[in-house]
Amino acid sequence: MLIYSLKRLLLAILVAITVSFISFSLLFLAGDPAIAMAGEGATDQDIENIRQLYGFDKPVLVQYFDWLLRAIGGNLGESFYFKTPVVHLIAEHMPVTMTLGAMGITFALSLAVPLGVLAAIRPNSIIDRIALLISVSGQALPSFWFALVLVVIFTVTLGWLPASGSDTWLHFLMPTVVLSYYAAPAFMRLTRAGMLDVLGSDYIRTARAKGLTTKSVFLKHALRNAIIPVVSLAAVQFGFMLGGSVIVESIFALNGAGSLAWESIGRNDFPTVQGLILVFALIYIVLTFLADVLNAWLDPKIRIG
Amino acid sequence: MTDVTHSIEEEDFGPSPREILKKSILAHRSLLLGFGAIVIIVLAALLAPVLAPHDPYLQDLSIRFTPPVWQDGGSWEHILGTDHLGRDYLSRLLYGARISLTIGIGAVLISGTIGTTLGVCAGYFGGRVDMVVNYLITVRLSMPVVLVALAIVAIFGGSLNIVIMVLGFLLWDRFAVVMRSSTMQVRNMDYVQSAQAVGCSTLRIVLTEIMPNIMNNLIVVATLEMAHAILLEAGLSFLGLGVQPPLPSWGLMVAEGKEMLFFEPWLIMIPGAALFILILSINLMGDGVRDVTAPAGKN
C-alpha cells in the first residue's frame, strides 16, 4: 500500500512539473512578455528596463526555474491587466467556481446514481431504456446551447430564474444543471455496469439465500461495492467541471475563475491565464491522486496489479 | 476425394460471420438511424452549393431578422429566415455543416494518429514504453482542455486550420487509452506469437496482425471523438475564439443569435438543433458499431 502510494505520488509530482513547464511556456508563445507588460506607447528603454527587472533577458530554462521556485512559494507573478498578484486574483475568484463545481457534482451524482441502480435492477426495462435515452441525448447537447435554451425557457418565457449574476442560490440553479448534465451519463453508465457486475456475484446470492430483503441486498451489499469506481470518476469529473466552467460562467456572468480565464485571454493577460491553467491542473492532479490511493485502499487488487 | 470436399460444402456450419454481422447491423435500429442521418448531413454538406437557395455570405440589411417560414412574417424565400446581417439562414446552415464535418474529420485524423501510435506502442512493448505513454496520458488529462485551447487559439489567431490542429493535438487521450488496452489483449494471442516465431518484423506484426483486430475499437473511438471535436469547436467559436466570422460555423451562429435571445429565440434554436442532431447521430453510430462488433454476450 505504501509502495503503491509512493509510486503514485511520484507520478503526480512528475506530471505537475510537466504541466507547470507547459503553462510556463505559454507566456513565451504569446510573444515578448516585456512588450506586453510595458503596454502601449512604451519606449524601447522602458521595455529594456522591464526585461532586466523581470529577468526576461536570462536563458529560458533559468527563467523557468526562477518562476517554478516562486510558484512553489505561492507567487505566480503579477497580472498584466490588474497589476495585482495573480494568486490574489485566483483566490478571489475560486470560491464561486468551487461552489459551482461542488453543486454540479452533487447534482450529477444524485441524478445518475439512483437512475443507474434502477436501470441495473431491471435491465432492458422501460426505466433502463429511459436512462439510456437520457444519457445518449445528454451527451449530444452542446453545453453553451443548452444554457441558452434554459435561459429562453426559465428567464424569458416563464420569468422564474435570473439569467446572470451570483447573488442568491437561484442564480446557481441553471449553471449547476448546465455544468452537471454532461457528467451525469458517465456516472449512470458506470453505476449500472458496476451494479450488474456485483449483482451477478456469489456473495449477493448468499445474501439473498440468507433471506435478506431485496432492499438490503441492493443498498447495503451491492451498491456499496458498485459505487467505488464512481467515486474515482467523480474526482476526474470534478476536475473536468472546473475546466468546463469557462463556458458556463461566461454565459451566466458568474464572477468565478472560469470567466476570469476567459476575460484574461481576451485581455492578453497571460500571467493570469498561466496561473489559472496551473491551478486547475494541480487541483485535478491532487484529486485523481487521492482517488487512486483511496481506490487502492478499498480494492487490494489495484495495489498489486 | 471429391466426396469429402462435397460433404464439407454441404455441411451446415450455420450463418457465416459476415452474415451474422449483416443481420445484427440490420437489427440495430439506432445504428441505422444514426447512419442514415449522417449520410443525409454529409450529402447536404457536399451539395451545399447546389442546395443552398442563396449565397451564405450575401448581406442585405433591409431584410434582417426575417423569421422562418412557420412564424408570422416568414416567407418561402428564406425558409429558415435571415440573421442580423440579412444573410439567408438555411444557406448558412448548409455551409456550416461543411465546417463541422471538416473540423471533426481533420481533428480525428491528427488525434487518431497520435493516440493510436502511442497506445499501440504502449500496449505492444509494455514496460518502460508503457510507463512513458501512461505518463503522457496523465499529463494530457490534467490540462484543462477548453482553457488551453482558448489560450492557444488566442495566441495564434482563429482559423479553421488552427482550430483543427489545436483539437487534434489535445484530443488524442481516449485513442491512446483504448488502443493501449486493446493491443494488450491482442498481443498475447497465439497468432501474434506465431508471427513473432516466424520472424516477422515488429512493424509487420503491428500492421497485419494487431491493427486489423483492434480496428473495430478504433472506429468506435474515432466516431465518438469526432463528435467531441465538433462540440468543442462549436464551443470555442461560440466564445469567439474558434472559427472566425463571416464563416458560418454553427457555434458562431449561436453566438451571433445570442444578442437577440429575448426577441428572436429561433436564431439560436436552429443552429443548436442542427448541432444536437449531428452529434446525436454520430454518437448513435459509434455506440451501434460497438454493440454490433462486440463479441456476443458482452454489453
Side-chain angles (χ1 to χ4, degrees):
Chain A
M1 182 69 204
L2 189 66
I3 294 174
Y4 172 84
S5 304
L6 284 177
K7 267 190 189 164
R8 188 60 190 74
L9 183 66
L10 194 72
L11 177 69
I13 292 172
L14 222 75
V15 169
I17 292 174
T18 317
V19 169
S20 77
F21 187 74
I22 293 173
S23 63
F24 170 79
S25 41
L26 205 64
L27 191 65
F28 286 85
L29 280 176
D32 193 335
I35 295 175
M37 283 176 92
E40 277 172 49
T43 61
D44 287 351
Q45 188 56 44
D46 292 341
I47 294 171
E48 194 52 47
N49 286 343
I50 289 177
R51 202 167 275 152
Q52 280 173 8
L53 185 66
Y54 287 91
F56 291 138
D57 50 350
K58 288 185 210 157
V60 176
L61 266 181
V62 177
Q63 286 188 54
Y64 169 65
F65 283 114
D66 286 352
W67 177 81
L68 187 65
L69 283 178
R70 268 181 280 135
I72 291 170
N75 177 2
L76 288 171
E78 200 173 77
S79 156
F80 287 169
Y81 181 81
F82 292 104
K83 310 284 177 204
T84 51
V86 169
V87 176
H88 290 182
L89 272 177
I90 295 179
E92 217 172 277
H93 288 79
M94 218 49 188
V96 171
T97 306
M98 288 299 221
T99 314
L100 195 58
M103 286 173 78
I105 280 287
T106 316
F107 185 76
L109 283 174
S110 54
L111 190 77
V113 172
L115 261 178
V117 171
L118 285 176
I121 292 176
R122 302 224 181 291
N124 297 322
S125 66
I126 292 186
I127 294 178
D128 191 15
R129 272 157 201 267
I130 291 176
L132 187 69
L133 190 75
I134 294 176
S135 89
V136 169
S137 43
Q139 291 199 306
L141 267 181
S143 61
F144 61 92
W145 183 60
F146 184 49
L148 294 178
V149 171
L150 287 183
V151 170
V152 168
I153 297 174
F154 291 103
T155 308
V156 181
T157 311
L158 298 171
W160 289 353
L161 294 171
S164 61
S166 54
D167 303 328
T168 65
W169 66 273
L170 280 175
H171 288 92
F172 279 93
L173 221 52
M174 284 197 285
T176 304
V177 173
V178 173
L179 198 60
S180 60
Y181 80 88
Y182 198 73
F187 287 136
M188 197 157 70
R189 286 181 187 196
L190 202 60
T191 312
R192 179 180 179 274
M195 281 296 279
L196 281 178
D197 209 30
V198 172
L199 287 177
S201 62
D202 289 339
Y203 66 84
I204 292 295
R205 206 178 318 151
T206 313
R208 279 186 180 255
K210 276 198 302 187
L212 294 179
T213 59
T214 311
K215 194 179 148 196
S216 149
V217 171
F218 276 124
L219 296 183
K220 274 200 183 147
H221 293 76
L223 185 58
R224 268 194 196 176
N225 286 289
I227 208 84
I228 295 174
V230 178
V231 172
S232 59
L233 182 68
V236 173
Q237 290 287 353
F238 187 75
F240 288 160
M241 275 188 191
L242 292 183
S245 64
V246 177
I247 290 176
V248 178
E249 285 180 14
S250 70
I251 291 177
F252 291 104
L254 288 172
N255 195 18
S259 59
L260 176 69
W262 185 51
E263 283 162 10
S264 301
I265 289 172
R267 295 175 193 131
N268 282 326
D269 186 356
F270 277 93
T272 311
V273 178
Q274 195 179 47
L276 280 165
I277 290 179
L278 189 65
V279 169
F280 280 157
L282 284 180
I283 293 175
Y284 177 89
I285 291 169
V286 170
L287 282 177
T288 44
F289 168 70
L290 292 177
D292 279 357
V293 171
L294 179 74
N295 253 339
W297 184 56
L298 291 171
D299 185 355
K301 265 185 284 178
I302 298 173
R303 279 177 250 163
I304 301 159
Chain B
M1 283 305 279
T2 43
D3 257 340
V4 175
T5 36
H6 186 73
S7 69
I8 287 178
E9 271 169 17
E10 287 295 291
E11 207 176 327
D12 187 19
F13 285 114
S16 73
R18 194 171 289 255
E19 278 163 12
I20 296 175
L21 187 65
K22 214 186 205 171
K23 240 185 211 163
S24 54
I25 289 176
L26 290 177
H28 203 292
R29 254 179 295 166
S30 60
L31 171 61
L32 292 179
L33 193 72
F35 183 71
I38 289 183
V39 169
I40 294 173
I41 295 172
V42 169
L43 281 179
L46 286 176
L47 297 176
V50 185
L51 293 174
H54 298 273
D55 178 350
Y57 301 108
L58 185 70
Q59 304 180 6
D60 183 355
L61 290 179
S62 66
I63 53 160
R64 66 203 290 245
F65 298 128
T66 308
V69 69
W70 58 86
Q71 283 188 14
D72 284 345
S75 75
W76 284 101
E77 179 63 21
H78 299 284
I79 299 174
L80 295 181
T82 58
D83 67 1
H84 63 299
L85 296 172
R87 296 173 294 197
D88 183 57
Y89 228 43
L90 176 61
S91 308
R92 289 184 72 71
L93 201 68
L94 287 169
Y95 276 90
R98 295 182 148 197
I99 295 179
S100 287
L101 291 173
T102 312
I103 298 259
I105 294 168
V108 161
L109 281 180
I110 299 174
S111 61
T113 310
I114 301 174
T116 307
T117 312
L118 288 175
V120 169
C121 283
Y124 188 81
F125 295 111
R128 291 244 169 95
V129 182
D130 188 28
M131 271 166 64
V132 172
V133 171
N134 198 13
Y135 151 80
L136 288 176
I137 294 174
T138 319
V139 170
R140 162 45 210 95
L141 283 175
S142 55
M143 309 285 298
V145 178
V146 180
L147 203 51
V148 174
L150 283 174
I152 297 177
V153 173
I155 292 168
F156 291 106
S159 76
L160 207 59
N161 287 338
I162 295 279
V163 174
I164 290 176
M165 298 269 276
V166 169
L167 294 180
F169 281 103
L170 280 175
L171 299 183
W172 50 265
D173 50 285
R174 208 183 315 181
F175 281 102
V177 171
V178 175
M179 289 299 99
R180 173 177 170 268
S181 60
S182 315
T183 308
M184 275 178 173
Q185 279 170 11
V186 173
R187 74 146 292 150
N188 291 325
M189 293 283 181
D190 288 342
Y191 53 81
V192 174
Q193 283 167 4
S194 326
Q196 285 168 335
V198 171
C200 292
S201 68
T202 306
L203 187 68
R204 192 192 153 125
I205 293 174
V206 167
L207 289 182
T208 62
E209 308 293 338
I210 292 190
M211 284 311 280
N213 287 297
I214 59 174
M215 210 32 132
N216 53 348
N217 287 345
L218 181 60
I219 293 170
V220 172
V221 181
T223 44
L224 298 178
E225 280 306 296
M226 195 169 138
H228 192 185
I230 293 173
L231 269 183
L232 261 178
E233 177 274 325
L236 294 180
S237 299
F238 173 78
L239 289 175
L241 286 162
V243 177
Q244 296 298 308
L247 283 179
S249 154
W250 290 349
L252 204 55
M253 286 168 78
V254 174
E256 288 164 353
K258 193 182 73 163
E259 307 302 322
M260 296 298 286
L261 189 65
F262 291 86
F263 312 103
E264 314 281 4
W266 54 270
L267 278 173
I268 64 152
M269 288 302 172
I270 291 171
L275 207 50
F276 175 69
I277 292 170
L278 174 61
I279 303 297
L280 187 65
S281 323
I282 298 177
N283 283 344
L284 283 181
M285 196 171 78
D287 287 345
V289 172
R290 174 165 45 208
D291 289 350
V292 169
T293 56
K298 255 191 171 177
N299 202 347

